[in-house]
Amino acid sequence: MNNPIAYTKPSITELEIRYVTDAVTHGWGASCYEYIERLEHEFARYLGVNYAVATSSCTGALHLGLAALGIGPGDEVIIADSNWIASVAPVVHLGAKPVFVDILEDSWCLDPSAVERSITANTKAIIAVHLYGNLCQMSELKLLADKYKLLLIEDAAEALGSECHGKKAGSMSDFGVFSFHGTKTMTTGEGGIFVTNNNQLYEQVLTLSNHGRKRGQQKQFWPDELGFKYKMSNIQAALGCAQLERIHEIINRKREILHRYKQLLSHHPEISLNPEPEETFNSAWMPTAVFSTESHITREKLQHAFSSENIDARVFFWPLSHLPMFDQPDESSMSWSICNRAINLPSYFDMTEDDIRRVVSVIEKLMLD
Ligand SMILES: *Cc1c(COP(=O)(O)O)cnc(C)c1O
């Protein structure tokens, strides 16, 4: 059997080890928030926003933001059908109703015209998830949000560093959230971050993230309201600070890998990989190959071919509407069509040219069959 090829794994250098060792050795007592504050400050600066709150996960950051905005029972929240469950679970936990809409064929993100058709008197927010590094059409979504007085939220967990007209994903809406899970562009093991330019929203999220204890509350063990416990540890933040210092290096490597796949597969018009439209920058978190309907390449054929070569490739997200907790059958959508004929390709920092060629050769062989 060939050596296994993982689909993602983080790049850890001496810098990460040094910061984490420092945090675990000295980051206690009066220093117990130093790396957290540094990560929040540096991340906000990198993204070009005013405020950031480090959290225990992206799911937690989204839960906090939606709760702070008062999303709850009776509210509808629009989200693309092709997504991971994390982007919608907090909506349901808050008692609001998710409304799933179809994706665009080229970006695999929210179709703005489908969004507009789904707006009702109860719609409160649109969650724009930038899928696999690709960007949602933020200017169209912003127009809709303004026209119908809706909140616009970005789940940018998969698009750290992606840009549209020089603006970073996560910085173009009421608030943005990111994940630092071990599979993401930069990692803190588990972890996430909330970002916004809105001072009031920032203060409310900060309070909610710490069991409702307001910043500056002098009274001990005194929560001002019922909140959540979604804080990041100083040790995780130390890892995050090191990764953020290396963010350009990490993203450049991710882009190189995506570019290499595109080059090696360029003679197959039946295959499309993550797009990078003009005026945008794709940070290439997850190279994804979508096969045309005419190619007759299916998810099952792809999974079988990759696993027999000991390569960990992952399926495209199932439509949320089809998952057992939602169960809204509709098999005509783009979300349903694409997930049947797509695969996520390995793309970790240290993967070699030989590894990339091995991945490509699996696809080449399938195309011949
Ligand atoms: C990974 C991911 C999440 C969940 O992140 P956690 O940190 O595991 O909570 C949420 N949204 C998107 C788009 C993701 O890719």
Side-chain angles (χ1 to χ4, degrees):
M1 194 78 164
N2 280 319
N3 291 332
I5 298 180
Y7 86 115
T8 77
K9 59 183 163 185
S11 161
I12 302 298
T13 65
E14 287 301 318
L15 187 69
E16 282 81 358
I17 294 168
R18 184 149 58 82
Y19 283 10
V20 173
T21 305
D22 180 54
V24 80
T25 313
H26 306 293
W28 307 105
S31 308
C32 75
Y33 299 120
E34 279 178 7
Y35 280 107
I36 298 173
E37 285 164 4
R38 178 167 154 190
L39 179 65
E40 290 174 343
H41 180 77
E42 294 296 321
F43 194 88
R45 203 175 61 150
Y46 170 71
L47 220 68
V49 296
N50 293 339
Y51 308 103
V53 181
T55 56
S56 51
S57 71
C58 177
T59 312
L62 185 56
H63 199 172
L64 289 172
L66 293 169
L69 289 172
I71 301 288
D75 296 338
E76 292 176 7
V77 176
I78 295 176
I79 188 166
D81 204 8
S82 294
N83 264 309
W84 175 228
I85 186 84
S87 301
V88 73
V91 173
V92 179
H93 289 316
L94 288 166
K97 180 181 165 207
V99 175
F100 303 118
V101 308
D102 207 4
I103 56 171
L104 294 169
E105 186 168 16
D106 52 354
S107 68
W108 323 322
C109 291
L110 270 179
D111 176 348
S113 60
V115 170
E116 185 159 25
R117 286 196 299 276
S118 304
I119 294 172
T120 72
N122 295 325
T123 307
K124 281 285 150 55
I126 302 168
I127 301 181
V129 185
H130 303 295
L131 209 74
Y132 301 141
N134 307 349
L135 289 155
C136 294
Q137 296 192 338
M138 290 308 291
S139 37
E140 284 82 351
L141 295 176
K142 186 88 182 66
L143 282 176
L144 290 177
D146 290 345
K147 181 171 166 193
Y148 295 95
K149 308 243 179 311
L150 307 176
L151 297 159
L152 181 58
I153 295 159
E154 286 169 284
D155 180 343
E158 305 183 5
L160 176 57
S162 288
E163 286 180 20
C164 181
H165 294 282
K167 285 200 171 145
K168 289 217 161 57
S171 73
M172 296 179 273
S173 54
D174 291 293
F175 74 79
V177 292
F178 293 85
S179 173
F180 302 141
H181 181 258
T183 54
K184 297 290 155 70
T185 301
M186 70 169 253
T187 190
T188 59
E190 291 279 0
I193 204 161
F194 168 95
V195 298
T196 186
N197 283 316
N198 178 331
N199 174 266
Q200 229 183 327
L201 181 58
Y202 163 69
E203 290 291 346
Q204 181 61 9
V205 163
L206 196 63
T207 301
L208 286 180
S209 76
N210 192 20
H211 275 315
R213 291 155 73 184
K214 280 212 169 65
R215 184 166 47 171
Q217 173 59 264
Q218 296 298 318
K219 211 161 153 182
Q220 291 183 348
F221 296 122
W222 191 261
D224 299 277
E225 61 185 297
L226 193 67
F228 302 89
K229 184 65 194 298
Y230 282 146
K231 282 161 67 77
M232 178 185 279
S233 80
N234 198 53
I235 301 169
Q236 291 171 301
L239 180 49
C241 286
Q243 293 262 286
L244 190 56
E245 268 184 47
R246 298 181 50 231
I247 193 70
H248 296 293
E249 179 197 355
I250 293 172
I251 289 173
N252 281 343
R253 179 65 192 133
K254 297 288 283 187
R255 283 175 59 82
E256 252 171 36
I257 295 168
L258 173 61
H259 185 64
R260 198 70 191 115
Y261 281 131
K262 283 189 176 177
Q263 275 179 331
L264 292 170
L265 292 167
S266 60
H267 56 288
H268 290 296
E270 318 84 320
I271 304 177
S272 35
L273 285 109
N274 312 52
E276 188 173 56
E278 262 183 62
E279 303 291 333
T280 70
F281 177 90
N282 191 318
S283 64
W285 172 60
M286 181 70 74
T288 298
V290 176
F291 295 75
S292 68
T293 323
E294 298 73 39
S295 72
H296 299 293
I297 301 280
T298 63
R299 170 182 56 230
E300 285 71 26
K301 281 189 200 170
L302 288 158
Q303 279 191 280
H304 177 76
F306 280 111
S307 67
S308 37
E309 292 297 325
N310 212 10
I311 294 169
D312 190 1
R314 297 291 171 105
V315 302
F316 196 95
F317 293 131
W318 304 97
L320 291 171
S321 61
H322 290 260
L323 299 181
M325 66 297 278
F326 301 116
D327 199 21
Q328 309 166 358
D330 155 29
E331 307 217 340
S332 60
S333 65
M334 190 55 70
S335 292
W336 188 248
S337 167
I338 288 183
C339 88
N340 283 325
R341 48 186 173 85
I343 198 88
N344 301 146
L345 305 175
S347 64
Y348 58 92
F349 188 89
D350 292 314
M351 100 185 269
T352 64
E353 172 71 13
D354 278 354
D355 293 334
I356 294 175
R357 285 178 177 274
R358 254 179 72 199
V359 173
V360 168
S361 74
V362 171
I363 296 177
E364 293 287 4
K365 242 196 298 183
L366 264 185
M367 302 298 282
L368 290 175
D369 285 347

